[in-house]
Amino acid sequence: MADEIILLDFWPSMFGMKVRIALAEKGLKYEYRDEDLFNKGPLLLEMNPIHKKIPVLIHNGKPICESQIIVQYIDEVWKDKSPLLPSDPYHRAQARFWADYIDKKLHLLGQRLWRTKGEEQEANKEYIECLKLLEGELGDKPYFGGENFGFVDVNLMPYFSWLYVFEIAANFSIEAECPKLITWAKRCMEKESVSTSLPDRQKLYDFFLQLKKWHGIE
Amino acid sequence: MAAISLQTATMAEEVKLFGTWASPFSRRIEVALKLKGVQFEYIEENLSNKSPALLKYNPVHKKIPVLVHNGKPVAESLVILEYIDETWKHNPILPADPYEKAMARFWAKYMDDKLWPAATKVVVSKGEEQKAVIEEIQEQLKTLESELKEKKFFGGESLGFVDIAANIIVFLLVAQEALGLMEILTEEKFPVLHEWYQRLVDDAVFKECVPPRERHLGFFKARFGSSTASK
């Protein structure tokens, strides 16, 4: 009996992208459903009644919510292929720590880049500092996961698809400040699981312009 | 609270916990370590004067709790709990089944993402705003109650990951009492959760890991007291 996997998602969502990458890493077939977040469908509301948010993974009828929880679930169920978390508890803890850091700090700072008027300089600086910290954590490794693409790589890559948008919107470039991260991102994009999971840059930028309008920011 | 320091003659595990007596996040780690019977040294931090050790072990956030196991630090309470569960495998606090585990992680995160912010808001808000926050908290408690259902604990027969994360409720109710707020977790509104809560605070291990009551009440009164509540 084959697994039935449905992903309720929204194509520009960084959180959704994480799950897409994880599913692709494991070579899993699934049904992708794009939700209209201004008009949430009944399945989303049924499967995530608590938060009413995407992404939601529905595996054989059972829903899992919250992107980091979904990615770990995928890693634990389909454990024989492309493990995303290391096996050693200490390294697992470090991976979870950095994924948490990305979700909390980087995400928040990314939002401040385009939502706060008048604080651009400060917001840019903090964002870059955050990235630099991550770059330090990467060190000379090919991936955050070491020799292999792993949990932290899955969590960070989606931000790089949005980075293009932020760089234009907030008028800054990270190329000079975080060259190692740029190299790392290019390396990740060479993986099919990543390149097929991230949206086209231009499409994302167009979406961003709409999002700004919706938020009343010009 | 004196540091508990245990040294054995052989090449032993060295486990240290940097925490503060009034932090639910810090207390969670104590519960887990005690459930597993892990000996540890506790170091009480002064958050207005953080020790060089803390800053060294958690340079990113500079926060407690930090667990240091044989010199290697782990930070963020839920991350630490998972580390403890994976390192000392007896008396597991997380389920083995991946789906059940995902559910446990979801509800623990709910405590941190929903209940905690509301709890911190309730102590600083006043009047109508405070009433609204209390209502919000009660909605959250209703949600938790329907998740608990017939189970003895969120973890099943014994305390688990979600019950430990739910220690925030203890802090909330002590604050409620200290500040003279209306009763939040009433037996009438939350028959199931109210019973669970009694079981939680009566649990032999859990009850060793809550702040001393009088001191805790005093802490809330001193910090948030005076004009918040009706007398």
Side-chain angles (χ1 to χ4, degrees), chain B residues 166-196:
Chain B
N167 74 343
I168 290 176
I169 299 177
V170 175
F171 288 67
L172 175 68
L173 299 188
V174 174
Q176 166 210 296
E177 187 183 331
L179 304 177
L181 306 179
M182 61 175 267
E183 204 187 337
I184 300 175
L185 182 55
T186 63
E187 190 171 356
E188 180 195 30
K189 267 202 178 122
F190 309 100
V192 175
L193 203 66
H194 190 264
E195 253 190 64
W196 160 83

Side-chain angles (χ1 to χ4, degrees), chain B residues 108-126:
Chain B
K109 191 167 196 286
Y110 184 89
M111 303 295 172
D112 281 1
D113 290 353
K114 293 276 178 191
L115 202 59
W116 176 249
T120 54
K121 216 161 135 191
V122 87
V123 295
V124 298
S125 56
K126 298 174 180 20

Side-chain angles (χ1 to χ4, degrees), chain A residues 48 50-51 62-66 69 72-73 76-77 89-90 92-94 96-98 100-101 104 133, chain B residues 58 60-61 72-76 79 82-83 86-87 98-99 101-103 105-107 109-110 114 143:
Chain A
N48 190 358
I50 309 291
H51 300 304
K62 299 202 286 193
I64 304 109
C65 311
E66 298 294 314
I69 294 175
Q72 289 186 78
Y73 175 79
E76 287 161 16
V77 173
Y90 184 71
R92 290 161 73 83
Q94 295 313 300
R96 288 178 177 132
F97 174 87
W98 287 107
D100 176 72
Y101 178 81
K104 288 203 184 110
L133 191 65
Chain B
N58 191 359
V60 176
H61 298 302
K72 300 201 285 193
V74 183
E76 292 300 304
V79 175
E82 294 222 31
Y83 175 78
E86 290 172 2
T87 303
Y99 186 74
K101 200 180 276 194
M103 291 301 103
R105 286 177 176 142
F106 177 88
W107 289 107
K109 191 167 196 286
Y110 184 89
K114 293 276 178 191
T143 301

